[in-house]
Amino acid sequence: IVQHSHRSRQRGCIDSCRAAHESIVMEEYLERLQEFWRSDTRKWVVCFRNPVDIWRENYTFLLCELVFYAFTFLTFKHAYRHGGRYLHLWFTALFHGLVVESLSYFL
């Protein structure tokens, strides 16, 4: 019984140390996050360009992007009209593309 109470005290100490460490880690993370949003790095994460500038620099890119959006809309319309497995496949393909793009930045 004495060993059990010693273990529970030791476990309580470990848990409190772990909680303090996690608190420090969270504070450090929040500080870094605030620095990130104050810096100019955030412009790299989300950046909107003027379509006129894109047209002047490389009009074929803008045309291809518009074609991709048109085909995306048409395939969704087809999947929605037929429903069932077509709609599931459309969302699965979309999700797969997002996951592949997300993972490719970490490799």
Side-chain angles (χ1 to χ4, degrees), residues 31-75:
E31 288 175 10
R32 288 184 181 182
L33 189 63
Q34 287 174 349
E35 284 179 26
F36 172 77
W37 285 112
R38 283 189 215 122
S39 70
D40 288 335
T41 309
R42 71 176 185 267
K43 291 180 182 175
W44 177 81
V45 175
V46 177
C47 181
F48 297 101
R49 292 177 55 197
N50 187 355
V52 175
D53 293 339
I54 298 172
W55 182 264
R56 263 189 263 130
E57 292 174 10
N58 193 356
Y59 68 92
T60 55
F61 174 79
L62 187 61
L63 290 175
C64 287
E65 194 167 357
L66 293 174
V67 168
F68 287 138
Y69 286 133
F71 280 133
T72 301
F73 173 73
L74 290 173
T75 58

Side-chain angles (χ1 to χ4, degrees), residues 79-94:
Y80 186 76
R81 183 182 301 150
H82 292 285
R85 66 176 185 223
Y86 296 104
L87 196 56
H88 291 208
L89 178 64
W90 193 88
F91 281 112
T92 303
L94 177 67

